[in-house]
């Protein structure tokens, strides 16, 4: 039996039907939180994540919601409160923008506007002591100082815009006793983004692996995110740089 430090708490993890979100949901569920598993289109995948959490003794529910729609964000908040009694943890994992069928403004709509709207909806019900975790990438976090691959630049800039917008909300979060934590990771092996980038710019993953020394797997990065949940002593808007940030830091000085 692992530690159950999240027993009795309700959590939302956006974009959690696969990849990093799904792996993080499993870890949070194993620690006792009731988890709202969010998906946009693929219900069977989300239901599989829920089943995995339940098989480990946890509680979870799959909720279809498009974060770019206001009713989608509200549906997730309502699901946490109705199913688990409260919303104490919000992990903003969903991101995108490399999709070719969603319009040219989609990256900014999802990676900035939808993140802000999700937080605004959550803040209305989150009690003092709650935590919001924003998941991003080094390519986005350092985009003002370090250029990235052409194919990823619009996504990187929109994710940094989302991070900046959330940081601007910290005075309001302080008043409510809610902590914002930013987790930034390098390219993650096996994710959709890494696959699309490598397709757009062959050799991109290998180049990052060489520069960083190693790239984290989905499971390894999820473990780093989960380790920051309910961690004592985190300052407001603390930024955790996970793996391979040294060359970004050197180039941004």
């Amino acid at each position: 039996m692992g530690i159950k430090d999240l027993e009795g708490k309700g959590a939302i993890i956006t974009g959690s039907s696969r990849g990093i979100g799904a792996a993080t949901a499993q870890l949070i569920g194993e620690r006792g939180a009731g988890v709202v598993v969010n998906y946009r289109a693929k219900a069977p995948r989300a239901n599989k994540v829920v089943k995995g959490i339940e098989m480990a003794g946890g509680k979870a529910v799959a909720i279809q919601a498009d974060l770019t729609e206001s009713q989608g964000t509200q549906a997730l908040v309502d699901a946490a409160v109705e199913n688990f009694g409260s919303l104490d943890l919000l992990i903003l994992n969903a991101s995108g923008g490399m999709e070719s069928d969603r319009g040219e403004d989609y990256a900014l709509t999802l990676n900035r506007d939808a993140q802000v709207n999700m937080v605004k909806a959550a803040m209305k019900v989150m009690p003092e002591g709650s935590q919001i975790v924003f998941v991003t990438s080094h390519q986005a976090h350092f985009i003002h100082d370090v250029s990235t691959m052409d194919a990823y630049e619009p996504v990187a800039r929109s994710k940094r815009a989302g991070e900046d917008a959330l940081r601007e909300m910290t005075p309001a979060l302080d008043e409510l006793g809610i902590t914002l934590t930013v987790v930034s990771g390098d390219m993650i092996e096996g994710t959709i983004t890494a696959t699309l980038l490598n397709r757009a710019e062959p050799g991109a993953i290998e180049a990052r692996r060489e520069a960083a020394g190693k790239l984290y797997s989905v499971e390894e990065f999820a473990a780093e995110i989960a380790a920051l949940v309910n961690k004592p002593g985190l300052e407001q808007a603390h930024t955790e740089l996970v793996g391979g940030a040294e060359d970004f830091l050197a180039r941004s000085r």
Side-chain angles (χ1 to χ4, degrees):
M1 287 286 287
I3 186 167
K4 297 285 187 180
D5 62 318
L6 302 178
E7 195 77 58
K9 296 184 182 296
I12 295 170
I13 303 178
T14 64
S16 48
S17 66
R18 66 181 177 193
I20 295 161
T24 305
Q26 183 74 35
L27 294 171
I28 297 303
E30 288 172 1
R31 285 164 59 183
V35 183
V36 176
V37 175
N38 162 236
Y39 68 98
R40 184 165 65 88
K42 304 279 175 65
R45 281 201 308 228
N47 290 331
K48 186 178 177 183
V49 177
V50 169
K51 189 174 181 182
I53 292 170
E54 290 175 342
M55 286 177 68
K59 303 180 294 291
V61 60
I63 299 294
Q64 190 280 327
D66 186 334
L67 298 188
T68 63
E69 301 170 358
S70 60
Q71 63 266 37
T73 55
Q74 193 59 48
L76 294 177
V77 172
D78 291 345
V81 175
E82 288 166 13
N83 286 278
F84 309 120
S86 64
L87 173 57
D88 310 270
L89 172 63
L90 170 62
I91 298 181
L92 298 165
N93 167 73
S95 67
M98 293 188 70
E99 301 87 343
S100 57
D101 61 339
R102 303 283 287 180
E104 62 178 85
D105 294 330
Y106 182 63
L108 205 55
T109 301
L110 175 60
N111 297 329
R112 182 193 64 190
D113 302 345
Q115 310 297 321
V116 169
N117 291 336
M118 186 72 243
V119 168
K120 284 180 177 177
M123 285 168 65
K124 294 174 183 175
V125 302
M126 294 182 97
E128 187 175 351
S130 295
Q131 184 179 17
I132 297 169
V133 180
F134 179 70
V135 181
T136 188
S137 65
H138 296 341
Q139 287 78 8
H141 180 70
F142 290 100
I143 191 62
H144 295 326
D145 303 303
V146 182
S147 61
T148 189
M149 292 152 278
D150 291 345
Y152 191 65
E153 184 165 347
V155 177
R157 292 199 176 279
S158 67
K159 281 188 71 66
R160 181 66 216 208
E163 180 184 336
D164 290 342
L166 294 183
R167 289 181 185 279
E168 287 172 9
M169 295 174 74
T170 53
L173 294 173
D174 280 334
E175 282 187 24
L176 296 169
I178 300 170
T179 304
L180 171 68
T181 308
V182 176
V183 188
S184 178
D186 210 318
M187 285 176 69
I188 307 297
E189 302 266 18
T191 58
I192 294 294
T193 299
T195 302
L196 290 173
L197 275 174
N198 212 50
R199 193 178 298 159
E201 300 192 25
I205 293 177
E206 187 54 46
R208 270 313 306 154
R209 193 183 293 120
E210 199 171 307
K214 111 170 210 144
L215 294 181
Y216 277 59
S217 68
V218 165
E219 291 75 19
E220 287 171 331
F221 188 49
E224 296 284 348
I225 295 168
L228 290 161
V229 171
N230 208 27
K231 183 177 180 179
L234 282 179
E235 294 181 359
Q236 181 64 281
H238 167 77
T239 303
E240 186 80 11
L241 301 175
V242 177
E246 290 77 10
D247 61 322
F248 284 93
L249 289 165
R251 286 185 284 164
S252 63
R253 287 190 184 111

